[in-house]
Amino acid sequence: MNNPFDILFEPVPIGPVVAPNRFYQVPHCNGLGHRMPRALAALRGVKAEGGWGVVCTEEVEIHPSSDLAPNIEGRLWDDGDIPALALMTEAVHAHGALAGIELTHAGHHAWNLISRTPALGLSSVGVSGFAPWQTRRLDKEDIRNVRRWHRAAALRAKRAGFDIIICYAAHNLSLAMHFLLRRYNDRRDKYGGSLANRTRFLRELIEDTKEAVGDSCAVAVRLAVDELLGEEGLSAQGEGYEIVALLAELPDLWDVNISDWSNDSATSRFAKEGYQEPYIGFVKSLTSKPVVGVGRYTSPEAMVNAIRNGVMDLVGAARPSIADPFLPEKIRDGCIADIRECIGCNICVTGDTLYTPIRCTQNPTMGEEWRRGWHPERIAPRQTAQEILVVGGGPAGLECARALGQRGYTVTLTEAENEPGGRVIRECRLPGLAEWRRVVDWRLTQISQLPQVSLYPGSPMRAADVLESGFKHVIVATGAQWRRDGKRRTVLRPLPGHNLPHVFTPDDWLRQGFDKLSHQAQPPQLTGQVVIYDDDHYYMGGVLTELLAGQGCQVTLVTAAPLISYWSQYTLEQGRIQRRLTELGVTFFVQHKLQAIEPDFVRLVSVVNGRAQDIAADSVILVTDRQPNDELYHSLKPALAEGKLSSLRVIGDAEAPNIIAQAVFSGHLAAREFEELARTETPFKMEYIDLD
Ligand code: ADP
Ligand code: SF4
C-alpha cells in the first residue's frame, strides 16, 4: 500500500534547483550562529539527515552596519566568513538536502554594538527596542551600497555552497521590510510614497541577486504578508496581498508568514497547529512559484491538507524540526507515533533571546550534536547487563528510563501516582497548556516499545523499599513541590501569615484528585478577591491568574519584577499574557513584594521606595520557590557509602528545581553518562579560536 503521505515526498523544483521533498526547515535563530559554527553545522546536518529537504540558516548579517549583537546570528561580512558557513552547506549536502541562506540587512533593527557604525534607517529614527541612539538616514548612495553589499553576500553565499538565497522581508527585522511599511517609510524619493515605490528596494534586491547568482542558485523571498495590525501594517486583505501581486513571478520561491516574531512563533498557549493558514492562504492564487508556509505542523495529515488545499507547496517548520529533526523520516517510514511533537513552549527561542546555545524541551540533544556528540535518534549501547531503578516518573525520570532502555539496559521505573508524568501531567490541565502533555505521551509511547523498561505507577518508594528491592543502581527523580512559606528571591524569610487557611500554592490545583499526599481533596473553590504573588516569574503565576479570573474572581497579580510573568519575555509570550489578563480585568502590581498576609488583606511594599499599602484579599496564592523532594536521595546516600548501592544519582527537580526542558535534559544526561567515563574537565567541547 502506498504511504498516505506520499505527496510530502515529491520533489519540488525551485528555480534552477530541486528540493528532494516538501519538508523545508525555514530559517531559525539558535544562539550558536557565527560564534559556534561547528556546533551549528552539526545541528543543521542532523536536520538534513532526518529528511528535511531544505535546511536554512538563521538571519545572516551581510555587513558590519547590520551587526545584530548581542544576538548571535549568522555572519557574512566578508570572505573570511565563508569557511564557517561552508561547514554547514557541507553537512547539509552530505544528506542530499538543499542549503538556504537568509541574507539580512537589519536597518534600524541593528544596534551595531560591535561594529560601532551608525545603524541605517529610512529616516533618522531611534533604533528598535529601548536604546538611546538613532539611525543615519539612508541617502541614494547608501541605498546603492546596501544593494552592493547584498549582491556581494549572495556571491559569497554561492561560494560557500548555498543553493537558495533568501531576500528577507519578514518579522519587521529587515531593511527590505522597513521600506515596505508606511509607518516607517516617509521618504519622498522613488523608494517612498506609493506601494510600488516602497516595494522597489525589495524588487531590486531580488533582481540583483538573480543577476548575480540566479544561474545556479534559487532566489527566494521571505515576506510577512500580515502583521495582525489591521490598517496600520501589512495585511492579507491589504498591502501584504498587493506586494505579492506586484512581485508574483519574480522570486523562485515565496516563504510567507505573519509578523512580528511573536506572531510567527506563537506558542501553543495562544495558537494551534496551522494557525497561519487564514493569513497566507491567498499567496498561491497570485503566483505559479512554490510557496512555503509555517504553522507548527507536527501531524502529517495537517501537512497533506495544507498542500492539497492549495495553501502551500512546501511545509515549512522551525520548531517541529527542532523537537524532531527526524520528523520527515518517521513519516516516510510510517512511524507516526514516534514523532516527538513540538509542544509550542518556545524554550528554543530563548537561545536567541538569551544569547546562549539553543535548547528544546522535547529534544534534549538539540544544540548538543557537536559539543557533546549527541544524536537525536542514536545513543551508545549499554556497557554491561546492569539493572537500574529509576524512582519518579516525571519528565526527568521518564526521559532517563527511556534513554537507558534505548541503550539496552533493564530499567524499573516506579512512580508514586497512578498516572505517570509528574508536573507535566498536572500542569497540562491548566489553561492553554494542553499540548505540553506531549512530553509525557511521547516518552510513554517509547517506553511501551522497550520490553526491558518496566513502569510501575502507584508505587511510592521509601529508602527501605529501595534497599529491599535489591537494585544496585538507583536514579532518584522525585521532583519538587511549591513552597508554602512564600520564600523566594524577594521574600527571604517565611512570610508572616503564610499558614492561614486562605493561603494556597499552585499544588492545591495541580495535585488535587491526583496526589494521595495532598492536603486538598478538591481544588479550592475561590470567590471574591484573590491575590496571587508571583515570585517565580515564568508561566505559573499568569496561568493561575487566567484560570481564576476566568472563573469570576477579582484577581490582583503582584510581582517584584518590573513586568508580570517577566521571564516569558524570552519565550515571546509576555505581551500576549499581559493583554489576555488585562482583558480578563486583572489588576497588576509590579515592583511590589508581599510583606505580610492578614485574614482579609495583604500588605504590599514597593521595591522602589519601600512604601507599604494594604489591599483586600479573600484568598492568597503563593507562587514562589519549589522545594526539592530530595529526602529519598539523602536517605540513600549512606547506603552508597556503605557499599549497599553501586551508584546513586539525583536528577531533575529533585536535584534543583528548574524548567521542564532542564528536567528532560537532566534525565537524558544521566542516561548517557551511566557507566561512561566521567569527564573531569568541561563536559563538552568548546569552539576556541585557533591561535596558530
Ligand atoms: P521532574 O521534573 O524532575 O521530573 P516531577 O515533579 O515532574 O519532577 O516528577 C517527579 C515524580 O516523582 C512525580 O510524578 C512524583 O509523583 C514522583 N515521586 C516523588 N516521590 C516519589 C517516591 N518516593 N516514589 C515514587 N515516585 C515518587
Ligand atoms: Fe517546540 Fe518547545 Fe522544543 Fe521549541 S523548545 S521546538 S517550542 S518543544
Side-chain angles (χ1 to χ4, degrees):
M1 200 180 86
N2 282 347
N3 184 325
F5 310 119
D6 272 351
I7 193 173
L8 300 173
F9 297 92
E10 292 171 350
V12 181
I14 308 173
V17 299
V18 179
N21 59 39
R22 296 182 188 269
F23 292 94
Y24 184 108
Q25 182 245 276
V26 292
H28 72 76
C29 304
N30 46 74
L32 302 167
H34 62 85
R35 204 161 69 180
M36 300 187 195
R38 292 183 190 87
L40 186 50
L43 181 161
R44 302 293 189 199
V46 160
K47 305 266 196 98
E49 184 190 351
W52 295 88
V54 178
V55 178
C56 298
T57 61
E58 64 279 47
E59 296 176 81
V60 176
E61 305 162 354
I62 61 168
H63 188 262
S65 62
S66 177
D67 149 27
L68 288 162
N71 295 90
I72 303 160
E73 312 297 342
R75 187 166 282 175
L76 196 41
W77 291 359
D78 56 37
D79 287 1
D81 294 317
I82 293 175
L85 285 163
L87 292 176
M88 167 190 161
T89 59
E90 282 160 23
V92 168
H93 290 159
H95 300 285
L98 299 178
I101 182 167
E102 183 177 74
L103 299 182
T104 309
H105 195 294
H108 69 238
H109 185 67
W111 279 14
N112 294 347
L113 290 170
I114 292 175
S115 65
R116 300 186 73 172
T117 59
L120 298 173
L122 304 197
S123 51
S124 184
V125 291
V127 293
S128 297
F130 301 107
W133 59 90
Q134 293 184 211
T135 57
R136 188 179 93 209
R137 183 182 187 277
L138 287 156
D139 63 19
K140 282 194 189 115
E141 188 188 352
D142 293 322
I143 293 175
R144 278 198 300 274
N145 282 339
V146 179
R147 287 179 58 188
R148 190 164 53 77
W149 300 331
H150 195 277
R151 186 178 186 282
L155 285 165
R156 290 190 184 106
K158 180 178 169 180
R159 280 167 58 200
F162 285 97
D163 310 287
I164 303 176
I165 315 294
I166 303 160
C167 301
Y168 183 45
H171 302 121
N172 201 1
L173 296 180
S174 79
L175 199 48
M177 183 161 175
H178 301 157
F179 269 103
L180 297 174
L181 300 175
R182 273 181 304 217
R183 63 182 184 276
Y184 298 138
N185 189 340
D186 57 358
R187 297 181 74 93
R188 292 171 180 272
D189 57 13
K190 66 180 183 176
Y191 291 97
S194 69
L195 184 62
N197 277 358
R198 283 181 276 129
T199 306
R200 187 182 307 278
F201 182 73
L202 177 58
R203 179 188 289 277
E204 288 174 346
L205 289 190
I206 304 166
E207 288 170 348
D208 293 346
T209 311
K210 288 195 104 167
E211 184 272 320
V213 299
D215 56 331
S216 56
C217 299
V219 178
V221 168
R222 195 167 190 216
L223 177 74
V225 294
D226 205 309
E227 297 182 272
L228 312 191
L229 294 175
E231 297 266 296
E232 177 70 8
L234 302 181
S235 73
Q237 286 76 38
E239 293 197 336
Y241 183 99
E242 290 170 42
I243 293 164
V244 179
L246 279 171
L247 302 176
E249 297 299 314
L250 193 57
D252 296 317
L253 173 136
W254 284 96
D255 172 358
V256 288
N257 60 11
I258 58 177
S259 189
D260 56 5
W261 189 17
S262 69
N263 290 324
D264 190 25
S265 290
T267 58
S268 57
R269 196 168 160 189
F270 296 97
K272 300 299 161 204
E273 183 173 28
Y275 56 93
Q276 303 209 12
E277 291 187 13
Y279 303 99
I280 63 172
F282 73 87
V283 177
K284 271 190 63 64
S285 69
L286 295 178
T287 179
S288 66
K289 301 300 169 89
V291 173
V292 179
V294 290
R296 222 176 58 249
Y297 291 101
T298 56
S299 94
E301 289 84 3
M303 297 176 195
V304 168
N305 287 341
I307 290 164
R308 291 209 193 285
N309 295 338
V311 178
M312 58 186 72
D313 301 290
L314 294 119
V315 182
R319 292 171 292 176
S321 75
I322 293 168
D324 196 341
F326 275 64
L327 185 150
E329 282 293 290
K330 290 174 184 175
I331 296 176
R332 180 159 53 203
D333 296 345
C335 302
I336 308 303
D338 292 333
I339 296 173
R340 198 170 40 239
E341 289 182 284
C342 166
I343 69 165
C345 62
N346 278 4
I347 288 301
C348 50
V349 167
T350 67
D352 190 60
T353 53
L354 292 170
Y355 328 130
T356 42
I358 188 168
R359 298 174 291 165
C360 170
T361 302
Q362 276 283 57
N363 175 9
T365 68
M366 179 50 44
E368 305 292 350
E369 299 84 355
W370 180 81
R371 63 177 202 161
R372 290 184 204 258
W374 288 2
H375 189 276
E377 300 299 312
R378 292 191 293 272
I379 192 164
R382 67 180 185 179
Q383 301 268 358
T384 63
Q386 300 291 351
E387 297 185 8
I388 304 142
L389 173 67
V390 179
V391 183
L398 284 172
E399 174 60 18
C400 188
R402 184 206 68 75
L404 283 168
Q406 190 189 2
R407 291 189 64 190
Y409 286 106
T410 301
V411 184
T412 296
L413 171 60
T414 63
E415 163 53 48
E417 301 302 325
N418 292 329
E419 190 172 5
R423 64 183 289 192
V424 174
I425 209 69
R426 302 180 193 117
E427 292 178 10
C428 73
R429 291 160 198 195
L430 293 171
L433 304 187
E435 281 185 33
W436 291 20
R437 191 189 165 97
R438 293 172 174 179
V439 172
V440 174
D441 290 345
W442 182 77
R443 291 178 170 81
L444 288 178
T445 304
Q446 299 303 302
I447 286 172
S448 72
Q449 296 169 16
L450 292 167
Q452 64 276 34
V453 181
S454 311
L455 168 61
Y456 297 94
S459 307
M461 302 278 279
R462 293 163 300 137
D465 304 323
V466 171
L467 294 175
E468 271 167 33
S469 70
F471 287 95
K472 293 285 172 222
H473 299 281
V474 178
I475 296 179
V476 177
T478 43
Q481 44 199 307
W482 293 92
R483 289 188 78 108
R484 295 203 168 267
D485 60 6
K487 268 176 76 168
R488 182 83 217 243
R489 56 177 64 80
T490 60
V491 179
L492 303 178
R493 293 185 192 83
L495 201 58
H498 70 268
N499 41 13
L500 289 168
H502 67 304
V503 181
F504 304 94
T505 78
D507 281 332
D508 294 317
W509 281 265
L510 297 171
R511 290 180 182 268
Q512 59 83 25
F514 238 97
D515 184 345
K516 295 183 224 56
L517 306 173
S518 168
H519 74 299
Q520 296 284 338
Q522 290 293 323
Q525 301 298 311
L526 304 190
T527 53
Q529 315 254 22
V530 179
V531 170
I532 298 186
Y533 185 55
D534 186 2
D535 208 2
D536 169 67
H537 307 288
Y538 188 18
Y539 56 89
M540 185 55 73
V543 166
L544 280 180
T545 302
E546 185 178 337
L547 177 78
L548 294 171
Q551 290 173 357
C553 298
Q554 292 162 267
V555 186
T556 302
L557 182 57
V558 181
T559 176
L563 290 170
I564 61 152
S565 301
Y566 185 88
W567 204 80
S568 66
Q569 290 176 88
Y570 305 119
T571 57
L572 310 179
E573 293 173 292
Q574 200 281 333
R576 281 174 184 250
I577 293 170
Q578 186 148 352
R579 201 176 322 141
R580 182 172 281 181
L581 298 186
T582 303
E583 281 161 10
L584 284 167
V586 173
T587 304
F588 305 124
F589 274 88
V590 295
Q591 295 189 302
H592 279 76
K593 61 182 182 181
L594 206 52
Q595 196 175 54
I597 304 171
E598 300 291 342
D600 52 4
F601 70 90
V602 295
R603 176 151 303 153
L604 306 183
V605 60
S606 163
V607 298
V608 178
N609 58 16
R611 194 174 301 149
Q613 65 180 304
D614 296 341
I615 59 170
D618 301 310
S619 318
V620 179
I621 304 174
L622 300 175
V623 186
T624 62
D625 266 359
R626 285 180 298 143
Q627 189 105 42
N629 294 328
D630 53 7
E631 316 78 24
L632 180 64
Y633 170 68
H634 287 295
S635 50
L636 286 172
K637 260 188 141 178
L640 182 68
E642 292 159 14
K644 292 181 192 157
L645 294 178
S646 305
S647 74
L648 174 68
R649 183 163 182 164
V650 59
I651 61 172
D653 291 339
E655 182 182 22
N658 202 315
I659 59 175
I660 297 164
Q662 186 65 14
V664 172
F665 174 82
S666 164
H668 193 83
L669 182 70
R672 291 255 181 192
E673 290 184 343
F674 186 75
E675 289 197 311
E676 297 291 330
L677 277 181
R679 291 176 64 129
T680 47
E681 72 280 26
T682 309
F684 44 80
K685 286 191 281 183
M686 299 287 285
E687 298 202 35
Y688 293 112
I689 297 165
D690 187 354
L691 294 176
D692 292 336

